[in-house]
Amino acid sequence: MSKIDEAVAQDEQRLGHEIGVSNWIEVDQAMINQFATVTHDEQWIHVDPKRAAAETPFGGTIAHGFLSLSLASRFAYDCLPVYDGQVMGINYGFNKIRFLSPVTAGSRLRGRFVLRDIKKRSEKELQRETGLTIEIEGKDTPALVAEWLSLSIFE
């Protein structure tokens, strides 16, 4: 059996099941400011703590939705399997992303992953659809939910 066929067989057992929960990561004001600078999105609700505290219902600044989403790659390193014979993983996109709750500065986030689908695209490519929930510590409503597509490339 080829390495990719072994990976498919492993994943067939995981379909519909949680495959991992990442470590927590704090999203502090410094991280938000750095993201704002890099993306040129320096809207005051992200970078002006005094104004955000006075003029928003959030009590302070909030992280960019795309900052929360960008942490998905880091969360995946904590949770998602690397298959025997896999030489790289590639982000293939998203079917759906919904931002459900603002992430206030100082919050801690983690990723929760559920394997939804696998598809052998060729003898070297395995496509995986993973349900991703980015949770906010102490909150019932997550920051976001997404259907994430990735490719595992084999030798």
Side-chain angles (χ1 to χ4, degrees):
M1 182 180 286
S2 70
K3 298 292 185 187
I4 194 168
D5 290 328
E6 289 175 10
V8 169
Q10 289 172 8
D11 272 354
E12 285 175 341
Q13 303 302 311
R14 297 180 181 130
L15 280 173
H17 297 283
E18 184 172 276
I19 54 175
V21 178
S22 75
N23 295 316
W24 292 104
I25 293 179
E26 182 177 352
V27 178
D28 61 14
Q29 190 62 51
M31 181 187 288
I32 295 169
N33 291 346
Q34 291 170 343
F35 190 85
T37 299
V38 168
T39 61
H40 302 278
D41 181 357
E42 298 184 29
Q43 186 180 169
W44 62 268
I45 63 171
H46 305 303
V47 298
D48 188 337
K50 287 182 185 176
R51 185 174 176 193
E55 297 181 32
T56 72
F58 311 121
T61 56
I62 59 170
H64 307 70
F66 287 126
L67 168 55
S68 299
L69 181 62
S70 72
L71 293 172
S73 294
R74 177 64 197 104
F75 297 144
Y77 284 118
D78 289 345
C79 302
L80 299 184
V82 176
Y83 305 103
D84 189 28
Q86 179 181 339
V87 294
M88 73 179 84
I90 299 173
N91 180 5
Y92 193 58
F94 292 87
N95 286 334
K96 179 180 177 181
I97 302 168
R98 294 291 181 266
F99 298 100
L100 302 176
S101 185
V103 175
T104 55
S107 295
R108 289 181 1 132
L109 303 179
R110 72 178 177 189
R112 184 176 297 274
F113 297 86
V114 174
L115 185 60
R116 293 205 173 150
D117 193 26
I118 54 168
K119 184 185 313 179
K120 183 177 171 183
R121 293 170 36 118
S122 73
E123 290 304 314
K124 294 189 181 250
E125 292 184 356
L126 176 62
Q127 181 179 315
R128 178 172 43 203
E129 179 185 321
T130 306
L132 167 63
T133 302
I134 296 184
E135 301 173 332
I136 306 168
E137 187 175 42
K139 304 281 182 170
D140 292 333
T141 304
L144 67 89
V145 293
E147 296 172 3
W148 188 9
L149 302 175
S150 60
L151 296 176
S152 296
I153 310 300
F154 290 78
E155 305 177 289

